[in-house]
Amino acid sequence: MEYQSILQGQEYNFLKTDEHLGKNVILLGLAGSYSYGTNNENSDIDVRGVTLNRKSDLIGLTSYEQYVDDKTDTTIYTFNKMISLLLSCNPNTVELLGLNEEHYLFLNDLGRELIANTKLFLSKRAIQSFGGYADAQLRRLENALARDSYSQSEKEKHIFNSVKNAMHLVRLFMMAIDILEKGEIHTHRSKEQELLLSIRRGDYQREDGGFCEAFYDIVSEYEKKLDYAAANTDLPDEPDLEAVQEYVMKVNEKIIKDEI
């Protein structure tokens, strides 16, 4: 697929016409299964991005955080909102800084600068943020399989969703370990792609919809790896907020001075 051509469709005209987007957009990329390398024939296109705050948002009376288009499953965060999410190591936004090059649909100099500053945002906060997301996926998985009161159609729906939750659980462990051990974000899981796809296909599910012992062995192994990475990481406890502020001020000063 020629990913850059995706945005040429009329359904993405809002990127040009909305007052918060247009020339203010600095980064657009694929999200979801295409960015992870776990897409199949049923996968939808998800787009995430970053747009600069407007001058009135910075020194005026307007306030704006993100643009959402449900029809195309597109979410575009303002620069300041994105920085806030990155500082908390929010998995859904951190992954946007670690895409494969071909998965960036639009990237200008400010977008590349944001990616180049990735290490500013990585800290031990990733332990809680990624671990918390992984725990939530595990809880969803367990809850979906524990309900005996569901109708057959509801059970089938939850079994279908459970394989996605199971895959994301393992993928979150993989990304968190990379961040803690290497200080790097690798959104596309090329080395572990077959494992993730096999989980998504249901290869580790029993006929009753539960998961076999081998799956929980995989989860247990990644939990141990994450615990070790957390205990031995070189990442700081907290991001360097002064350095982040200098970077944010530099970008926003250009907006105020109409230099963009």
Side-chain angles (χ1 to χ4, degrees), residues 67-188:
Y67 182 97
V68 177
D69 183 76
D70 292 327
K71 292 181 179 179
T72 60
D73 201 354
T74 297
T75 301
I76 303 175
Y77 303 98
T78 59
F79 180 73
N80 281 4
K81 174 68 172 180
M82 183 68 171
I83 296 298
S84 175
L85 292 168
L86 291 175
L87 284 171
S88 65
C89 280
N90 175 274
N92 289 332
T93 48
V94 164
E95 64 188 32
L96 195 55
L97 301 187
L99 301 181
N100 280 1
E101 186 67 25
E102 67 269 21
H103 294 153
Y104 286 107
L105 307 179
F106 173 79
L107 201 57
N108 65 12
D109 289 344
L110 287 174
R112 293 189 181 280
E113 184 179 20
L114 176 61
I115 295 170
N117 279 299
T118 292
K119 289 187 181 296
L120 284 179
F121 309 106
L122 300 184
S123 71
K124 290 181 181 177
R125 290 181 181 181
I127 300 170
Q128 180 58 42
S129 61
F130 275 83
Y133 268 67
D135 185 65
Q137 295 293 342
L138 185 58
R139 297 288 83 78
R140 290 192 187 101
L141 184 61
E142 293 173 342
N143 291 338
L145 301 175
R147 297 286 292 274
D148 293 327
S149 58
Y150 285 140
S151 67
Q152 183 59 32
S153 63
E154 288 175 321
K155 286 181 180 179
E156 290 174 357
K157 179 181 178 181
H158 279 276
I159 289 172
F160 173 77
N161 288 331
S162 69
V163 294
K164 290 195 294 184
N165 290 334
M167 182 197 71
H168 287 306
L169 167 62
V170 175
R171 179 188 60 80
L172 286 165
F173 280 131
M174 293 171 176
M175 287 193 65
I177 292 166
D178 274 347
I179 290 172
L180 294 170
E181 288 187 345
K182 306 173 185 176
E184 298 172 354
I185 302 170
H186 297 291
T187 305
H188 191 277

Side-chain angles (χ1 to χ4, degrees), residues 12-22 67:
Y12 289 98
N13 278 350
F14 62 85
L15 292 170
K16 301 175 183 177
T17 60
D18 187 270
E19 62 182 350
H20 300 282
L21 306 178
Y67 182 97

